Amino acid sequence: MTSWRQTVLADRHRALGSTLGNWNGLATPWTYSSDLADEHAAIRTAAGLMDVSGLKKVHVIGPHAEALINYATTRNVSKLYPGKSVYACMLNDEGKFIDDCVIYRISPNAFMVVHGAGQGHEVLTRGAVGRNVAVLFDDDLHDLSLQGPLAVDYLEKHVPGIRQLPYFHHMQTTLFGCPVMISRTGYTGERGYEIFCKGMDAPKIWDTIVAEGKAMGIMPCSFTTLDWLRVESCLLFYPYDNSDMYPMEGQPIGDSLWELGLDFTVSPGKTEFRGAAEHYRLKGKERFKIYGVEFDSKQAAEAGDSLYDGDQKIGFVTCAMYSRLSQRSMAIARVDTAYAVAGRKLQLQGANLNCAATTHSLPFDDPEKTKRTAKN
């Protein structure tokens, strides 16, 4: 797929050794010349700066903005106040997952929906027909993600009140003289912040953080680093953990939230959203479960590698990594429902790795989520 979207930071990424592959229509730095293990360690022990502008930013504005988002997503956004955000999913009419997003309430009649490579923008655009609402795709807005335990220590030197910003809240402020919205969100399992800025300001913000942060161990990190982090922190990535990537024989593409472990994104008592009736009907009808697997190896498995119990194939890996920090080989996997319990002994049969495996609850890292939700 050709990249039809551009980041103003492309020259910075090339200087760091990236050839800029495509993700979600945007030229994306999948890797740099630096070691991925060093990038992973930086985010887990200090902080890393990533350009995640490939996420699509959509403004939903007008008297019917709340009604549109309530229809399109699984969350009751009527409960959001300005400055608060929430993670949500979008379903099709069959109750199957088609995208996830973070919804930011900016003001009473204004929201921003940030989503990945699914159908979010199309769902919102179609749903706006006949409603008093504007849906505006904003590709000038860049998203720089500063993630890791020292992210707040760096930012508090420049942003008053950043240390007091709660998890899944955002603030309008300035950074290095540039207007920004800073959100306490991310995709790493660490305490982190996303800096939304105008394209014209992104190079200044990027360059300043990279230069000033070097002494603290902060370094630029590429997109593939997110795969390592998301395995440890159980963060799914559409479509790479979905049947869109791994079709189920004889069945149409599509996974339920119950199968993906994303049913928690449905607000309690909410029944009026796209695909709601089918979503509730599918409870208890799971064909597989997303679960963790740990391997007796110092090598990473590969996506698509098979998991066996004796001669019976019971699942496969969707994303895997080996952590130099914890010296563990781990993966997110799609497994038969009976195997979605900790401690089941399995065998990995992969393209480049065959070894013993054991099912493991998710997330592997920080199961109580104390790091990302830490106060002060």
Side-chain angles (χ1 to χ4, degrees):
M1 178 181 176
T2 302
S3 298
W4 57 272
R5 307 167 58 204
Q6 297 296 322
T7 169
V8 299
L9 298 172
D11 288 344
R12 270 80 174 168
H13 300 320
R14 291 190 186 98
L16 289 165
S18 177
T19 56
L20 292 178
N22 177 76
W23 180 69
N24 209 12
L26 186 127
T28 299
W30 285 102
T31 58
Y32 293 138
S33 56
S34 48
D35 191 326
L36 281 168
D38 291 338
E39 297 175 24
H40 169 262
I43 291 176
R44 286 286 184 237
T45 64
L49 180 64
M50 293 170 285
D51 179 8
V52 294
S53 300
L55 295 166
K56 292 182 177 178
K57 285 77 64 180
V58 183
H59 303 286
V60 183
I61 303 167
H64 292 168
E66 184 178 288
L68 171 58
I69 297 175
N70 272 333
Y71 159 77
T73 77
T74 55
R75 293 289 194 178
N76 179 5
V77 297
S78 305
K79 296 182 178 181
L80 291 184
Y81 47 83
K84 182 74 172 69
S85 57
V86 69
Y87 174 66
C89 291
M90 296 183 182
L91 309 181
N92 59 19
D93 292 331
E94 290 71 48
K96 300 296 181 66
F97 176 92
I98 56 173
D99 211 344
D100 58 354
C101 61
V102 176
I103 305 164
Y104 301 84
R105 187 161 210 155
I106 309 302
S107 68
N109 285 340
F111 297 81
M112 182 169 71
V113 178
V114 178
H115 72 93
Q119 302 172 36
H121 184 210
E122 293 80 359
V123 169
L124 291 168
T125 300
R126 288 196 300 268
V129 176
R131 288 187 167 101
N132 187 3
V133 63
V135 176
L136 308 173
F137 175 64
D138 187 351
D139 224 13
D140 178 67
L141 194 65
H142 279 52
D143 183 355
L144 308 185
S145 188
L146 184 63
Q147 301 286 315
L150 299 188
V152 67
D153 295 328
Y154 175 80
L155 286 176
E156 75 169 347
K157 301 174 184 178
H158 305 282
V159 183
I162 192 69
R163 189 173 285 279
Q164 287 71 47
L165 186 68
Y167 188 47
F168 269 90
H169 284 69
H170 50 95
M171 63 191 300
Q172 307 292 335
T173 184
T174 59
L175 182 61
F176 315 132
C178 305
V180 296
M181 186 180 89
I182 299 181
S183 169
R184 189 171 164 187
T185 46
Y187 188 67
T188 63
E190 293 290 337
R191 181 172 185 162
Y193 301 84
E194 292 181 82
I195 304 164
F196 294 94
C197 62
K198 296 187 295 183
M200 64 180 292
D201 295 328
K204 178 180 180 180
I205 294 172
W206 177 274
D207 291 345
T208 306
I209 294 176
V210 169
E212 292 185 353
K214 186 175 182 179
M216 299 175 65
I218 298 173
M219 67 180 293
C221 295
S222 59
F223 208 69
T224 301
T225 313
L226 292 175
D227 273 341
W228 292 28
L229 297 158
R230 76 184 190 84
V231 168
E232 294 176 306
S233 301
C234 187
L235 299 166
L236 303 188
F237 188 22
Y238 177 85
Y240 298 98
D241 300 304
N242 299 79
S243 59
D244 303 66
M245 183 68 70
Y246 300 103
M248 303 181 73
E249 187 175 353
Q251 299 190 43
I253 289 172
D255 308 309
S256 75
L257 298 184
W258 311 103
E259 292 167 332
L260 298 173
L262 295 175
D263 49 288
F264 72 91
T265 66
V266 179
S267 292
K270 186 176 182 183
T271 58
E272 298 296 326
F273 58 93
R274 188 186 185 201
E278 284 299 294
H279 162 72
Y280 287 111
R281 186 186 69 80
L282 290 169
K283 184 178 182 181
K285 297 179 172 62
E286 295 85 353
R287 302 159 298 170
F288 70 91
K289 285 281 193 177
I290 292 288
Y291 209 70
V293 184
E294 190 167 6
F295 305 109
D296 185 13
S297 175
K298 292 188 178 298
Q299 181 180 338
E302 296 183 15
D305 284 355
S306 299
L307 296 166
Y308 281 84
D309 181 2
D311 295 330
Q312 179 186 2
K313 182 179 178 180
I314 61 87
F316 55 89
V317 169
T318 64
C319 192
M321 64 88 67
Y322 176 78
S323 171
R324 187 177 67 192
L325 293 177
S326 64
Q327 298 186 347
R328 299 168 72 190
S329 180
M330 300 162 274
I332 295 173
R334 290 165 69 98
V335 301
D336 292 349
T337 56
Y339 290 83
V341 292
R344 294 295 298 266
K345 300 299 182 182
L346 304 173
Q347 190 73 20
L348 175 75
Q349 296 185 18
N352 297 300
L353 180 64
N354 294 280
C355 66
T358 307
T359 56
H360 194 288
S361 59
L362 292 171
F364 294 99
D365 181 71
D366 191 27
E368 300 301 321
K369 302 180 181 180
T370 56
K371 293 191 292 185
R372 68 186 83 174
T373 61
K375 297 181 179 179
N376 301 318

